[in-house]
Amino acid sequence: MANSTTSGVAVGHDAGHGEHHPRLQHHFFDMDQQLEASTLGMWVFLVTEIMFFGGLFMAYILYRYWYPDAWASASNHLNVQMGAINTVVLICSSLTMVMAVRSAQIGSIRGQVGYLIATIGFGATFLVVKYFEYAEKFEHHLVPGLGMTFAPPADHIHAAHPVVGSSEQLFFSLYFIMTGIHALHMVVGIALMLIMLVWAWRGRFTPEYYGPIEVSGLYWHFVDIVWIFLFPLLYLLGAHLGAGH
Amino acid sequence: MDLLYLFIFAVSAFFTILVVALIGYFTVKFRRRNPDDVGADIHGSLALELGWTFIPFVLSMVMFGWGASLFFRLATPPANAMEVFVVGKQWMWKVQHPEGVREINELHVPTGRPVRITLGSEDVLHDFSLPAFRVKMDAVPGKLTTMWFEATKVGTYHIFCAEYCGTKHSGMIGQVIVMTPQDYEVWLSGGRSTGTAVENGERLFTDLACVTCHKPDSTGRGPSLLGVYGSTVKLTDGRNVVADENYLRESIMNSQAKVVAGYQGIMPTFQGMVTEENLMQLIAYIKTLKPAAPEAKK
Amino acid sequence: MATETAPARQSYLDAPYGLAAWLLTKDHKRIAMLYLISITVFFAIGGLFALGIRIELLTPKGDFVAADTYNKLFTMHGVVMIFFFLIPSIPATLGNFLIPIMCGTKDLAFPRINLLSWYLYVIGGTLAIAAVATGGLDTGWTFYTPYSTQASQTSVTMAAMAAFIAGFSSILTGFNFIVTIHRMRAPGLTWFRLPLFVWAQYATSLVMILGTPVIAITLLLVMAERTLHFPIFDPKIGGDPVLFQHLFWFYSHPAVYIMILPGMGVVSELVAAVSRKQIFGYAFVAFSSLAIAILGFLVWGHHLFVSSQSIYAGLVFSIITMLVAVPSAVKTFNWAATMYKGSVTWESPTYWVIGFMGLFLIGGLTGLFLATLGLDIHLTDTYFVVAHFHYIMVGGAIMAFLGGIHFWWPKMTGRMYPESLAKASAILVFSGFNMTFFPQFLLGYMGMPRRYHSYPDEFQVLNIASTFGATILGLGYGLCLVYLLWSLKRGAIAPANPWGAKGLEWEKTQSPPTTFNFEEDVIVTEPAYNYAGSGKVHHG
């Protein structure tokens, strides 16, 4: 049974130099083309992610325009401190990510491994803080559909617990969906980084071949940037709009 | 509208026949005679490209302009239109005449009088479609929509629901019965009335205790509603909005959305306590509240 | 052209052998074939649903199936045909097969992601079938809220998830094409030497990657509202059902361009080949694909003219919709002009192409009726709309798809299909199609609404005509399937270039191609469709 590679095709294989990089995939002409294709691919994928989150942002924009007071009062129920911690954590993780890619570019395995571990650590911290945040929301009955009560605002004046009016439910629905999907992307990101960590530790990346860690870095930065948008839009509204109940 | 339809049909027919004829002609006249034949070395023609870009563009702009003006007319009911309230719910149409007569799946109207329909939905999306009058409009839960038409010929015409709404979507049909104005008056007076919309609205206004806060002299906890319909209202967040039917409806159902400047957001919500028909009746009543002194006309 | 008895080297079909070699393949051509088999299955399923619809509509009363069943039939017909047949059809089969070859390269940029996209499609499709089996879906393929989020008692979440997963299959295909076309063209193959099929696929891919994520998130919101009770569109708490419509149509309108642009690409290839002539106005046709893709993102509101959308928004959407019709008109004129002084053969691909042009023309022109604001109020949500989109998607896209399948069949399978049966099938499909859908324009103008299980008596005659046409249409498709399958074993062995066409796939690969496509490195030195430069004589 003939082997598929011996069907006589020799496109783009050797223009005379004989051997090629062990990481060069067969359908690419050379390592440059491979890296360019991977990078363009990741950028295209990130564009799709922008569109994905975009739908959520559109819903947010519409309802904020319609119910600014509800938006402000709901935002006041969010934990700004935890949100701020997470923002700092993510920004640091992007820094360590960049350093990891740089380490690959200069061939330092220790650097790659160290910085990747730091990145994963920051990512995990983010998720842990998120867990505590969500737990707090559950306690305070701020999760729509799960015992979230909305009483006529007349009661609101006298209530001891934070009770939300009807349109605040929209805010919380969007809050959970937006931050939840973001958190899911973080989980995927951490999984990616773990794979990168194993590969880096095994010395897979060299100054000539570091594509996977670079495009993973792009993904990580994107997830960070989404949070940079989510944080002020969700957490800082009460302060910004000045309204509150 | 039918004239516009004919125009677009004529343009379409023209281009269809033209292109089909050309293709038919070319494929026959230039059919391959020898198996090795190839076509002539023609790459294109800027003149033709511009031509067949520009001409369709112009034609489509004519269609747009004509259609847009028609659309504006359809969106603007005449001032002297008679008001009818229609509420769709799975799977029937509830119609109420301002004089109080109610119908189910039927709408009696006189000839020669524009009819303005305020449309609401109790549950899911519906659409009140009157093909004979070339109009339809979605009934959207959570808001009020409007449409209008004027009947010119006596007869019976279809009402269809034209937005899929579940099991009996195709059963949500009825009839518009167009009568001469005299016959219409007879029919109206013979109908059992449960009070006019305005009377019902006034009763609800009292029963639901609206009157305790919305005192006419502005001493209440809520703003006076004299002359509110159609006026511009300033809100606590600085926005100015026109108090149309949807504003009134939203204020009753989701009062926190727009709080009038100078007042606190303490109006309770009546979500679940009023039906769409009740809302239309309340709105009909509120529209009749005019200020005592004739300062803010209309 | 010269005939050969068998390909000189082993083709991609033969080696490597075995089920695992197919299910774990990275070869774009094999993946194309896997897709072809799967989408044919879904086409049959969607067709069965259509049959149910048309049988019910023979009589004014709802007596063939219960109302709920009918509602599920038309819903599932739409969901299956759109998400599991039309959207993948040309891109995932012909696109996957041809793009690398037309770019002069060995495979797409990301072969394993290509395979992943097929698996995602299969998973989504399986979930869709599971949804059908566990209660079906009755919301209409449009999933309008609040019916879908609050009232429907069917497997909404499962069906939405199926479409969600299929969407990612689509995104991955588009993403693969974009990177391949940008980065992997052979030396000498500049953008303006690319076949127009590649331009069309490129434009389609842009729409796929930009639009599909929006339907994904929209469906996710519906699922969240339904299962987690996170209210987003609930009017009782200030949510807006019309927001759903905006988000939904923001994707679903460009989606129709995903469905037709590849077909237009196929038509460009076929018109050039059957006329043996350079496409008239190459640059205009290429740019019109991009124009349609871009403008297609700006017109979604024309689905919302009677939804309570503001009349000013209506104006904007109407005028841009008029604009998006213009590039399609430009293409049609260019194709017709290509035949002028061509050397036109009357082999079967010509039948399919001419069928496309007639039907697409009518479909496109009837779009103008719907784009026109005042008129749309009367025509929207009636059978006029149903007829319009079937003219484009079935009369247009499916005829183009079948034309392409026939044209490239010898290349993909190494076999010729029986020519006279192919012509018969094209004629059956064309006439059956017209008989099915032309009466529906009349029904719509007369006021018959869509999605109606039962209808007033006066609409019956036209409905009977429509069902009769549908039978003929079904026969045409059935015949097609039969002889194509037959040809796999019994068809004449195809030469490398049975049509005498120009193009890398015809001139530089055997039928079927070897696994890595080309025997020697590809270097491109001439423009596409360079018939006139081929040294042959024009006798016109």
Side-chain angles (χ1 to χ4, degrees):
Chain A
M1 185 68 68
N3 191 322
S4 62
T5 54
T6 60
S7 49
V9 187
V11 178
H13 247 262
D14 28 273
H17 50 262
E19 60 169 68
H20 53 82
H21 196 284
R23 295 273 164 236
L24 177 68
Q25 288 175 46
H26 249 228
H27 52 285
F28 287 117
F29 188 78
D30 59 21
M31 293 300 283
D32 272 342
Q33 191 189 44
Q34 180 170 294
L35 180 62
E36 279 182 10
S38 320
T39 318
L40 177 61
M42 180 50 79
W43 279 109
V44 169
F45 176 68
L46 293 180
V47 166
T48 71
E49 293 277 48
I50 293 175
M51 298 306 291
F52 188 71
F53 279 97
L56 291 170
F57 281 105
M58 284 323 299
Y60 172 96
I61 290 172
L62 176 76
Y63 289 143
R64 171 171 162 175
Y65 175 67
W66 280 1
Y67 312 118
D69 291 340
W71 241 236
S73 96
S75 176
N76 275 335
H77 289 306
L78 293 184
N79 191 324
V80 180
Q81 287 82 3
M82 288 197 190
I85 292 173
N86 269 348
T87 309
V88 171
V89 162
L90 273 192
I91 293 178
C92 291
S93 77
S94 267
L95 175 62
T96 54
M97 183 71 230
V98 167
M99 296 308 296
V101 177
R102 176 81 187 128
S103 304
Q105 286 171 335
I106 59 174
S108 157
I109 294 193
R110 277 193 55 196
Q112 290 169 57
V113 170
Y115 284 118
L116 279 172
I117 290 179
T119 308
I120 293 171
F122 282 124
T125 308
F126 178 92
L127 289 176
V128 166
V129 172
K130 197 107 219 100
Y131 167 77
F132 283 114
E133 252 202 283
Y134 277 9
E136 192 185 49
K137 300 289 164 300
F138 273 82
E139 263 176 52
H140 292 176
H141 298 288
L142 289 172
V143 181
L146 265 144
M148 176 185 247
T149 53
F150 66 98
D155 286 348
H156 186 226
I157 298 170
H158 308 291
H161 310 290
V163 175
V164 289
S166 51
S167 303
E168 280 94 333
Q169 282 196 52
L170 290 171
F171 178 90
F172 279 103
S173 296
L174 281 173
Y175 165 77
F176 278 107
I177 294 177
M178 289 167 102
T179 57
I181 292 184
H182 176 263
L184 257 144
H185 281 78
M186 282 296 303
V187 170
V188 169
I190 291 177
L192 257 183
M193 291 310 147
L194 283 167
I195 298 175
M196 295 302 124
L197 180 60
V198 169
W199 280 355
W201 186 59
R202 293 206 187 136
R204 188 179 171 108
F205 303 124
T206 65
E208 291 83 36
Y209 173 71
Y210 54 87
I213 198 173
E214 178 169 30
V215 301
S216 302
L218 280 176
Y219 175 81
W220 190 267
H221 295 312
F222 171 77
V223 178
D224 181 15
I225 290 181
V226 171
W227 179 260
I228 306 283
F229 276 85
L230 290 181
F231 177 62
L233 287 177
L234 292 171
Y235 291 79
L236 301 182
L237 271 193
H240 171 65
L241 290 177
H245 280 80
Chain B
M1 173 177 299
D2 290 343
L3 200 56
L4 174 54
Y5 184 86
L6 224 50
F7 170 70
I8 303 182
F9 178 78
V11 170
S12 306
F14 171 74
F15 280 105
T16 307
I17 295 175
L18 175 69
V19 172
V20 167
L22 280 176
I23 292 179
Y25 177 63
F26 293 159
T27 51
V28 169
K29 173 145 165 77
F30 300 110
R31 70 185 176 284
R32 192 175 300 169
R33 289 169 176 84
N34 300 315
D36 286 351
D37 264 2
V38 296
D41 190 12
I42 302 177
H43 288 250
S45 149
L46 187 60
L48 273 175
E49 299 287 352
L50 291 175
W52 61 47
T53 306
F54 186 67
I55 294 176
F57 173 72
V58 166
L59 285 169
S60 65
M61 287 301 110
V62 169
M63 294 173 199
F64 166 74
W66 191 342
S69 91
L70 184 56
F71 186 62
F72 266 101
R73 259 192 294 132
L74 285 170
T76 325
N80 65 333
M82 71 183 245
E83 300 257 359
V84 173
F85 301 120
V86 174
V87 174
K89 81 182 268 299
Q90 287 170 320
W91 288 282
M92 63 164 86
W93 294 107
K94 299 199 273 194
V95 177
Q96 189 182 29
H97 292 256
E99 299 84 353
V101 180
R102 290 151 168 270
E103 317 187 61
I104 302 264
N105 294 334
E106 281 191 348
L107 170 61
H108 285 76
V109 294
T111 55
R113 184 102 190 274
V115 177
R116 177 177 181 263
I117 298 179
T118 304
L119 205 47
S121 165
E122 298 263 357
D123 39 37
V124 297
L125 290 169
H126 298 281
D127 185 294
F128 197 65
S129 166
L130 310 175
F133 304 100
R134 309 285 189 261
V135 287
K136 61 164 68 76
M137 178 56 73
D138 276 8
V140 184
K143 61 176 84 162
L144 298 171
T145 50
T146 58
M147 58 191 271
W148 77 274
F149 69 100
E150 182 176 325
T152 52
K153 270 175 51 176
V154 167
T156 309
Y157 309 98
H158 286 296
I159 297 174
F160 290 129
C161 174
E163 186 60 68
Y164 176 70
C165 53
T167 309
K168 294 217 185 80
H169 168 60
S170 41
M172 199 163 154
I173 61 179
Q175 301 182 311
V176 177
I177 298 157
V178 180
M179 316 171 105
T180 63
Q182 301 90 314
D183 286 345
Y184 177 72
E185 289 305 321
V186 169
W187 172 84
L188 208 53
S189 55
R192 276 189 346 269
S193 170
T194 51
T196 66
V198 172
E199 287 165 1
N200 280 315
E202 186 171 10
R203 188 177 42 79
L204 283 162
F205 198 80
T206 315
D207 288 352
L208 292 167
C210 317
V211 65
T212 50
C213 290
H214 291 288
K215 297 198 164 73
D217 55 5
S218 299
T219 58
R221 273 162 285 173
S224 159
L225 298 179
L226 299 183
V228 70
Y229 177 72
S231 70
T232 305
V233 178
K234 191 169 162 68
L235 306 176
T236 52
D237 56 23
R239 282 185 290 164
N240 284 326
V241 291
V242 173
D244 59 8
E245 277 135 341
N246 270 312
Y247 168 82
L248 295 175
R249 186 190 177 285
E250 186 181 37
S251 300
I252 300 170
M253 298 292 255
N254 186 11
S255 50
Q256 300 309 297
K258 295 186 175 63
V259 179
V260 177
Y263 291 90
Q264 293 205 294
I266 56 169
M267 175 173 171
T269 172
F270 291 87
Q271 180 80 49
M273 289 158 65
V274 287
T275 65
E276 290 298 324
E277 288 165 281
N278 292 152
L279 284 166
M280 291 175 179
Q281 289 158 348
L282 278 164
I283 291 170
Y285 169 66
I286 293 171
K287 278 158 91 163
T288 64
L289 297 175
K290 296 283 191 291
E295 24 163 51
K297 261 309 189 186
K298 203 173 110 140
Chain C
M1 299 302 291
T3 48
E4 299 158 34
T5 47
R9 302 177 197 278
Q10 256 188 332
S11 78
Y12 79 98
L13 287 172
D14 301 319
Y17 190 74
L19 192 62
W22 276 83
L23 293 178
L24 295 174
T25 183
K26 291 191 291 190
D27 181 356
H28 64 101
K29 302 181 290 299
R30 287 193 163 191
I31 295 174
M33 291 295 116
L34 290 174
Y35 264 111
L36 184 57
I37 297 169
S38 340
I39 67 169
T40 306
V41 169
F42 280 98
F43 182 64
I45 295 176
L48 278 172
F49 291 139
L51 188 65
I53 294 172
R54 287 281 15 129
I55 293 179
E56 172 62 83
L57 291 178
L58 276 171
T59 59
K61 294 204 194 334
D63 42 17
F64 178 58
V65 291
D68 279 331
T69 309
Y70 182 79
N71 294 339
K72 291 176 194 174
L73 280 176
F74 72 69
T75 300
M76 295 308 304
H77 169 71
V79 168
V80 166
M81 285 306 203
I82 291 176
F83 292 113
F84 296 97
F85 176 68
L86 281 167
I87 285 178
S89 62
I90 296 177
T93 57
L94 296 171
N96 262 330
F97 195 95
L98 294 167
I99 300 271
I101 298 180
M102 287 181 170
C103 289
T105 185
K106 281 201 275 187
D107 207 321
L108 291 176
F110 308 113
R112 282 169 296 193
I113 290 186
N114 200 10
L115 183 65
L116 175 64
S117 85
W118 182 71
Y119 276 106
L120 286 175
Y121 170 85
V122 169
I123 292 171
T126 310
L127 209 53
I129 294 178
V132 173
T134 61
L137 178 71
D138 73 345
T139 60
W141 82 276
T142 47
F143 287 95
Y144 273 16
T145 62
Y147 185 75
S148 63
T149 45
Q150 295 176 3
S152 175
Q153 306 287 315
T154 58
S155 299
V156 177
T157 304
M158 201 185 292
M161 184 58 88
F164 180 87
I165 295 175
F168 281 101
S169 168
S170 188
I171 290 175
L172 292 180
T173 301
F175 141 99
N176 226 334
F177 287 173
I178 288 178
V179 178
T180 307
I181 297 171
H182 269 284
R183 289 271 170 255
M184 293 178 72
R185 283 166 288 124
L189 188 48
T190 58
W191 279 91
F192 286 98
R193 285 180 175 168
L194 281 169
L196 288 164
F197 179 76
V198 180
W199 275 98
Q201 280 304 135
Y202 180 74
T204 308
S205 304
L206 288 175
V207 181
M208 278 164 146
I209 60 146
L210 291 173
T212 317
V214 180
I215 187 91
I217 192 67
T218 310
L219 289 173
L220 208 66
L221 290 175
V222 168
M223 290 188 260
E225 184 163 339
R226 216 176 141 83
T227 55
L228 302 173
H229 303 293
F230 280 7
I232 306 279
F233 306 113
D234 186 353
K236 294 203 237 348
I237 56 141
D240 188 11
V242 183
L243 172 65
F244 172 84
Q245 294 181 37
H246 280 285
L247 288 173
F248 177 85
W249 286 111
F250 184 82
Y251 162 73
S252 300
H253 188 83
V256 315
Y257 296 112
I258 295 178
M259 295 186 255
I260 195 62
L261 275 171
M264 292 171 159
V266 168
V267 170
S268 291
E269 295 303 313
L270 264 56
V271 168
V274 306
S275 314
R276 288 216 183 129
K277 187 162 164 279
Q278 168 74 255
I279 286 281
F280 194 91
Y282 172 98
F284 280 88
V285 177
F287 284 125
S288 67
S289 289
L290 290 177
I292 291 173
I294 295 170
L295 287 172
F297 270 102
L298 304 176
V299 299
W300 77 90
H302 66 227
H303 299 271
L304 283 94
F305 284 151
V306 295
S307 69
S308 79
Q309 178 178 260
S310 108
I311 53 180
Y312 303 105
L315 283 178
V316 172
F317 285 120
S318 172
I319 201 171
I320 305 183
T321 307
M322 295 293 180
L323 290 181
V324 82
V326 173
S328 298
V330 166
K331 278 188 199 256
T332 308
F333 292 126
N334 275 298
W335 290 324
T338 303
M339 294 177 169
Y340 174 74
K341 291 208 174 151
S343 164
V344 184
T345 174
W346 271 95
E347 293 164 289
S348 45
T350 310
Y351 282 63
W352 293 100
V353 139
I354 296 196
F356 170 93
M357 292 185 54
L359 299 176
F360 173 71
L361 191 55
I362 295 177
L365 288 168
T366 52
L368 291 172
F369 289 82
L370 296 167
T372 303
L373 281 164
L375 257 188
D376 184 71
I377 302 208
H378 176 54
L379 297 172
T380 191
D381 277 315
T382 68
Y383 261 86
F384 194 95
V385 179
V386 176
H388 160 72
F389 65 68
H390 280 94
Y391 261 84
I392 308 255
M393 297 208 278
V394 182
I398 298 190
M399 280 211 102
F401 172 70
L402 287 175
I405 290 289
H406 281 78
F407 183 65
W408 281 293
W409 191 256
K411 181 57 56 181
M412 297 193 292
T413 63
R415 300 280 180 160
M416 292 301 294
Y417 51 81
E419 178 68 3
S420 43
L421 284 183
K423 291 177 178 170
S425 175
I427 293 175
L428 274 176
V429 167
F430 181 83
S431 22
F433 175 85
N434 274 311
M435 268 190 271
T436 311
F437 291 104
F438 198 83
Q440 294 184 7
F441 282 125
L442 305 171
L443 281 170
Y445 186 72
M446 286 160 61
M448 179 172 173
R450 294 171 68 167
R451 300 172 164 173
Y452 260 39
H453 174 227
S454 60
Y455 54 81
D457 290 342
E458 70 247 37
F459 297 136
Q460 182 173 22
V461 173
L462 288 171
N463 268 298
I464 292 180
S466 180
T467 300
F468 175 66
T471 327
I472 311 236
L473 183 60
L475 279 173
Y477 288 140
L479 178 61
C480 198
L481 184 64
V482 162
Y483 65 69
L484 284 178
L485 282 175
W486 177 91
S487 77
L488 288 176
K489 283 280 180 251
R490 302 291 182 82
I493 304 276
N497 193 354
W499 313 114
K502 292 206 72 76
L504 288 174
E505 77 271 26
W506 299 114
E507 299 177 286
K508 294 278 198 238
T509 70
Q510 59 183 47
S511 291
T514 56
T515 303
F516 294 110
N517 302 333
F518 300 104
E519 315 302 308
E520 358 172 278
D521 289 6
V522 172
I523 298 179
V524 176
T525 53
E526 53 174 22
Y529 322 115
N530 194 19
Y531 291 97
S534 65
K536 299 255 171 30
V537 181
H538 167 62
H539 284 123

